[in-house]
């Protein structure tokens, strides 16, 4: 069997890696640089709390692979199971967390509930006004700059061919991908083109409603390393979140509307939103009040109409598969999606349920 994986973000590079490991002839083609789309812009949070419940089996599969990432890829992608602390500032947040914790338990996710004294004892300096928190000890983060290139390089070592900066001229069923320099053929095609995935699906008669937006991120100057877990908020609104990398910089995001994306497909951070974002971030860690922000950025990301990604086989075109539209929470899922796609393509089935993410849910 031969496969072309279109798009070398985390989804495409992980899919190429797991296909190549199965001995399948794989070509990974990106119209830009591998890992330079939404993946590199990511906050890097590897969290399972707050997810759509039927997505948890895939998230568990992915977490197991994150834990083995260094051994699988031959490189440290800075996955650290530091735990994920989500602070709660009001009764509504507390109800939200308790309901999710109860519902997620049968799906295999155990969240610890922390009282204020326990937050202060275990995480001094974090959320002094919090009335409670959840803690998920096995979640954490990884480095968004390293992970897609690491999967792609490991895929190449397993026999995959990598093609970057390909000017795509045409994609035809069968399958042929024609670029400015070369024409590629394969029996299977995997559409992992991020927010561009809906346009390719539409070309094959499978429309998917997608809105392209950019979460706004920032990073502080390096500081002494004090914050171990990833920190977020339980809130009905779009809460702030932060984490401190081992070099000391604090990366943060959330709390403000996602920016619009221009016709060039690029998302630019809006400096006017920074003060509101910082006010929310300082509530999580008041010691950040006087630190300098050294950079802001954003990244274009596809939000599907129902907030869920599209994963699975095409319903119109045998041999075509989709994995796109990860709606702001795809970083955690990446390794699991790659492994699940490789299983589906190689065997025609997948042990992890993907039914809820089928593309035909938009057919009506
Ligand atoms: C700012 C930001 C913060 C985020 N934070 C988190 C987080 O903390 N936790 C979390 O779980 N998720 C997070 N996400 C979401 C996560 O990063 C994405 O869901 C994930 O990286 C998507 O990976 P992807 O491979 O689908 O897309 P991308 O990384 O966008 O890759 C798609 C690739 O396809 C290529 N491409 C496009 N069109 C074509 C074509 N026609 N032919 C060939 N190649 C093509 C592009 O060049 C690109 O390299 C965040 C996203 C953003 C933008």
């Amino acid at each position: 069997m031969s496969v072309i994986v279109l798009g070398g973000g985390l989804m495409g590079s992980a899919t190429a890696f797991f296909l190549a490991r199965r001995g399948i002839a794989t070509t990974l083609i990106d119209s830009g640089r591998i890992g330079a789309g939404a993946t590199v812009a990511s906050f890097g949070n590897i969290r399972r709390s707050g997810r759509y419940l039927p997505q948890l089996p895939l998230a568990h599969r992915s977490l197991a692979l994150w834990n083995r990432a260094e051994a699988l890829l031959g490189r440290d992608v800075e996955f650290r199971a530091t735990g994920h602390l989500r602070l709660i500032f009001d009764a509504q947040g507390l109800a939200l967390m308790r309901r999710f914790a109860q519902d997620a338990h049968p799906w295999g996710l155990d969240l610890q509930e922390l009282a204020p004294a326990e937050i202060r004892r275990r995480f001094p300096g974090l959320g002094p006004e919090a009335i409670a928190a959840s803690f998920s000890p096995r979640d954490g983060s990884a480095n968004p700059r390293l992970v897609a290139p690491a999967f792609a390089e490991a895929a190449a070592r397993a026999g995959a061919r990598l093609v970057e900066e390909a000017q795509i001229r045409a994609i035809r069923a069968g399958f042929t991908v024609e670029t400015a320099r070369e024409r590629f053929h394969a029996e299977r095609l995997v559409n992992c083109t991020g927010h561009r995935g809906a346009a390719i699906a539409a070309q094959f008669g499978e429309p998917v409603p997608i809105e392209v937006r950019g979460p706004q991120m920032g990073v502080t100057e390096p500081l002494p390393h004090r914050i171990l877990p990833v920190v977020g908020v339980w809130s009905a609104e779009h809460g702030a979140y932060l984490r401190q990398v081992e070099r000391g910089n604090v990366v943060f995001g959330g709390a403000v509307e996602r920016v619009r994306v221009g016709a060039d497909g690029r998302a630019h951070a809006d400096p006017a939103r920074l003060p509101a974002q910082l006010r929310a971030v300082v509530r999580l860690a008041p010691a950040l009040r006087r630190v300098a922000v050294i950079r802001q950025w954003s990244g274009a990301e596809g939000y599907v109409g129902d907030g869920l990604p599209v994963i699975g086989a095409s319903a119109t075109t045998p041999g075509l598969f989709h994995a796109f539209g990860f709606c702001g929470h795809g970083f955690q899922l990446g390794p699991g999606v790659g492994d699940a796609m490789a299983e589906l393509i190689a065997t025609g089935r997948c042990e992890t349920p993907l039914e809820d993410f089928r593309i035909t849910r938009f057919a009506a």
Side-chain angles (χ1 to χ4, degrees):
M1 185 194 293
S2 57
V3 182
I4 292 173
V5 179
L6 213 52
L10 177 52
M11 304 306 160
S13 57
T15 302
F17 170 72
F18 287 108
L19 284 168
R21 256 170 55 107
R22 287 175 179 262
I24 293 172
T26 304
T27 307
L28 175 63
I29 304 177
D30 199 292
S31 54
R33 300 302 301 268
I34 282 167
T39 300
V40 77
S42 175
F43 172 65
N45 195 2
I46 295 175
R47 73 158 167 88
R48 288 167 300 155
S49 72
R51 277 183 192 273
Y52 172 68
L53 294 170
Q55 203 179 71
L56 282 173
L58 185 58
H60 297 324
R61 180 173 182 159
S62 205
L63 183 63
L65 291 165
W66 278 112
N67 275 287
R68 292 170 52 213
E70 188 166 356
L72 283 171
L73 304 176
R75 179 173 172 186
D76 179 14
V77 293
E78 297 178 11
F79 169 70
R80 303 286 183 267
T82 56
H84 184 213
L85 178 73
R86 279 183 91 168
L87 300 164
I88 296 165
F89 292 103
D90 53 34
Q92 196 189 23
L94 186 61
L96 204 62
M97 183 279 282
R98 284 187 173 156
R99 196 175 330 116
F100 180 82
Q102 192 177 18
D103 294 348
H105 182 73
W107 291 88
L109 176 62
D110 285 319
L111 291 185
Q112 301 169 2
E113 181 176 329
L114 308 186
E118 208 169 357
I119 302 171
R120 276 193 288 279
R121 185 179 62 77
R122 290 176 61 178
F123 305 106
L126 294 178
E129 299 167 23
I131 60 164
S134 70
F135 188 62
S136 182
R138 294 178 53 225
D139 289 335
S141 62
N143 189 328
R145 267 187 293 278
L146 302 181
V147 68
F151 268 111
E153 284 158 19
R157 286 197 299 277
R161 181 171 170 202
L162 311 183
V163 182
E164 292 184 275
E165 296 186 335
Q167 292 170 40
I168 312 283
R169 296 258 166 89
I171 303 164
R172 293 192 199 91
F175 289 87
T176 301
V177 174
E178 199 179 313
T179 73
R181 273 189 242 125
E182 201 174 334
R183 199 174 279 175
F184 299 88
H185 303 281
E187 296 153 54
R188 308 274 186 275
L189 180 73
V190 197
N191 170 17
C192 294
T193 55
H195 68 86
R196 307 266 189 207
I200 291 174
Q203 188 191 321
F204 288 94
E206 298 182 287
V208 172
I210 202 164
E211 190 186 6
V212 188
R213 288 267 179 172
Q216 174 152 322
M217 313 298 303
V219 62
T220 72
E221 61 185 314
L223 303 160
H225 193 248
R226 298 268 192 277
I227 305 174
L228 194 60
V230 179
V231 187
V233 183
W234 280 100
S235 156
E237 273 139 45
H238 192 41
Y241 45 86
L242 62 85
R243 70 185 178 97
Q244 188 172 25
V245 303
E246 285 168 2
R247 288 167 294 282
N249 311 73
V250 175
V251 186
F252 59 85
V256 291
E257 275 296 294
R258 298 179 182 104
V259 298
R260 289 186 180 282
V261 173
D264 62 355
R266 292 183 182 280
H268 301 282
D270 176 4
R273 297 175 199 209
L274 183 60
Q277 196 171 35
L278 285 177
R279 276 193 294 279
V281 165
V282 162
R283 203 170 182 210
L284 309 188
L288 296 179
R289 196 177 299 282
R290 288 183 220 296
V291 304
V293 173
I294 58 171
R295 191 165 79 87
Q296 283 186 280
W297 72 93
S298 184
E301 167 79 332
Y303 295 84
V304 175
D306 60 5
L308 299 177
V310 173
I311 310 174
S314 159
T316 60
T317 313
L320 174 64
F321 295 82
H322 302 288
F324 67 87
F326 284 88
C327 305
H329 47 233
F331 191 76
Q332 193 282 347
L333 294 176
V337 168
D339 194 24
M341 292 306 290
E343 183 192 355
L344 184 63
I345 293 162
T347 69
R349 53 209 313 205
C350 181
E351 67 178 31
T352 303
L354 300 174
E355 182 60 13
D356 283 24
F357 314 117
R358 69 197 180 282
I359 197 161
T360 50
R361 68 190 195 265
F362 302 108

